[in-house]
Amino acid sequence: MNITGFLLMDHEGEEIEADAHGSNIAFLCFDCGYPILASTLDEQRGSDEEHPSRCRSCGAGYFLDVRLHAEKLYIHML
Ligand SMILES: [Zn+2]
């Protein structure tokens, strides 16, 4: 799933600073600011609740919620 150009938001719908390219997105941990990488591809880290991306600094978990037709992406914390 290509998310380049999507509107990137946190779980509250606030637009965030992030870099989306192809099926990957880089953003900063909402808690500690450490860089996090996530993917929309099935079973890759961050793709869903069962496969979260973990912050390597503080351990916070994240997963992506893509709204394909609206071209929006929400990042949820576990
Ligand atoms: Zn963190």
Side-chain angles (χ1 to χ4, degrees):
M1 189 182 310
N2 189 337
I3 56 171
T4 306
F6 277 33
L7 183 60
L8 308 170
M9 294 174 290
D10 67 14
H11 61 289
E12 293 177 326
E14 291 286 322
E15 196 168 352
I16 61 164
E17 295 289 331
D19 189 11
H21 181 72
S23 56
N24 299 311
I25 179 169
F27 59 97
L28 299 178
C29 178
F30 300 162
D31 273 352
C32 75
Y34 198 84
I36 309 226
L37 191 62
S39 170
T40 60
L41 298 177
D42 284 352
E43 301 190 7
Q44 297 298 304
R45 59 179 170 163
S47 60
D48 60 34
E49 230 170 326
E50 309 293 308
H51 305 89
S53 276
R54 290 278 173 196
C55 175
R56 292 176 63 190
S57 175
C58 75
Y62 295 92
F63 63 97
L64 306 177
D65 173 12
V66 182
R67 311 292 168 86
L68 194 55
H69 297 293
E71 297 197 344
K72 290 178 178 175
L73 181 148
Y74 295 89
I75 299 172
H76 296 290
M77 280 183 99
L78 282 180

